[in-house]
Amino acid sequence: MAYQREMANVEFDRWSASYDRSILQDWLFHPSHESLLSQIEPSDQRLLDVGCGTGQFLVEALRRNPQLTAVGLDLSMKMLEQGSARFQAFADRLQAVRGDSEQLPFADDHFDVITCSHSFHHYPRQAAVIAEMHRVLKPGGKLLILDGLRDTWWGWFIFDVMVTWVEGGVHHCSSSRMRQLYRNASFNDLKQIKKKWFVPYLLTVGAAHKMARIQPRPSVAKAA
Ligand SMILES: C[S@@+](CC[C@H](N)C(=O)[O-])C[C@H]1O[C@@H](n2cnc3c(N)ncnc32)[C@H](O)[C@@H]1O
């Protein structure tokens, strides 16, 4: 059966109570968050984290970057509830929103940077999500997608065999497929960081290219 959004909701509602104590926090999530954190710059003001879970990455990003304000969006209400103490501790700079990555409830050209950590493989329509991320980024805004790297045989075994056995038909993109998705959605200046061993991960970085909007010229009244 094709992977459905509702399957992610059920999985993470169920996992939420023990998520922060999972062995994956030490093996995968925390080490890979470091590579994401290293990409946030002092000029970044507004950050959106899509699939934010219990907010561990977000509060670390806010702690290290005092200029940032952030929104965390997640499909699973129970993941957000599990992180509520964290969200509360940064309430003046952080908002948690329940929503779907395919329909981001934000205005066009709003964020300087979007992060998405270990969530992208759950999206049934990945191209539609990247297009939506492009819409809400400011011109030149950065998209940082972090997910398991399946390019090597070891990564393939972990993510395509083991993870799909546990989670169902999720899809980890190869690094070339990820570059193609970014390019198709008008991202440029692409860069990829790959960690290939133990629990491998891939971080893809791109800048949103947007055409300048053409302002209609005021009509010039003909001289009588
Ligand atoms: C493995 S957790 C990662 C959480 C967090 N980003 C981190 O790095 O610890 C994946 C998260 O993606 C969320 N998710 C899955 N599908 C989603 C969707 N369509 N829209 C928004 N969030 C989604 C899940 O509810 C879950 O909280």
Side-chain angles (χ1 to χ4, degrees):
M1 184 175 122
Y3 192 76
Q4 311 281 330
R5 186 182 55 180
E6 191 47 31
M7 293 161 81
N9 196 24
V10 170
E11 175 185 341
F12 286 97
D13 272 3
R14 197 180 291 145
W15 192 4
S16 59
S18 62
Y19 182 80
D20 286 346
R21 298 191 305 274
S22 163
I23 190 81
L24 288 176
Q25 296 296 345
D26 293 333
W27 285 3
L28 177 61
F29 299 146
H30 288 165
S32 61
H33 286 171
E34 285 302 321
S35 67
L36 208 51
L37 288 161
S38 72
Q39 300 296 318
I40 299 173
E41 295 167 294
S43 55
D44 294 326
Q45 301 283 331
R46 286 184 187 163
L47 179 146
L48 168 65
D49 188 32
V50 178
C52 66
T54 59
Q56 298 198 60
F57 161 75
L58 267 173
V59 297
E60 195 52 28
L62 289 172
R63 205 180 57 74
R64 295 191 196 184
N65 296 276
Q67 83 288 0
L68 267 188
T69 59
V71 180
L73 175 136
D74 202 280
L75 188 64
S76 159
M77 197 62 211
K78 292 205 171 160
M79 288 293 272
L80 295 175
E81 283 168 7
Q82 197 62 33
S84 59
R86 261 184 215 116
F87 294 120
Q88 209 48 48
F90 282 85
D92 53 334
R93 295 162 60 206
L94 176 59
Q95 195 191 348
V97 174
R98 187 181 184 215
D100 176 16
S101 55
E102 262 187 50
Q103 290 168 322
L104 300 174
F106 309 108
D108 297 358
D109 303 346
H110 191 69
F111 293 99
D112 299 295
V113 54
I114 295 182
T115 52
C116 180
S117 162
H118 300 291
S119 182
F120 195 72
H121 60 278
H122 290 282
Y123 305 160
R125 299 192 330 127
Q126 294 174 329
V129 173
I130 295 208
E132 189 61 351
M133 290 168 160
H134 184 272
R135 179 184 68 75
V136 301
L137 273 171
K138 291 179 184 171
K142 274 182 310 222
L143 176 59
L144 310 172
I145 298 182
L146 175 68
D147 215 342
L149 172 68
R150 56 171 284 255
D151 285 5
T152 61
W153 71 266
W154 176 236
W156 166 83
F157 177 71
I158 294 180
F159 297 108
D160 280 8
V161 179
M162 302 294 285
V163 174
T164 54
W165 180 59
V166 175
E167 295 195 316
V170 294
H171 180 64
H172 287 85
C173 290
S174 65
S175 53
S176 62
R177 172 68 184 149
M178 194 63 100
R179 287 197 301 275
Q180 188 187 19
L181 285 171
Y182 269 62
R183 283 200 196 98
N184 291 350
S186 293
F187 284 92
N188 54 22
D189 299 336
L190 300 192
K191 182 172 80 175
Q192 290 188 307
I193 296 167
K194 300 178 186 181
K195 176 173 174 287
K196 294 192 175 163
W197 197 235
F198 191 45
V199 189
Y201 60 80
L202 169 70
L203 172 61
T204 307
V205 184
H209 174 70
K210 296 198 171 186
M211 304 289 271
R213 288 207 182 89
I214 298 167
Q215 300 292 332
R217 290 173 62 191
S219 58
V220 181
K222 273 192 185 160

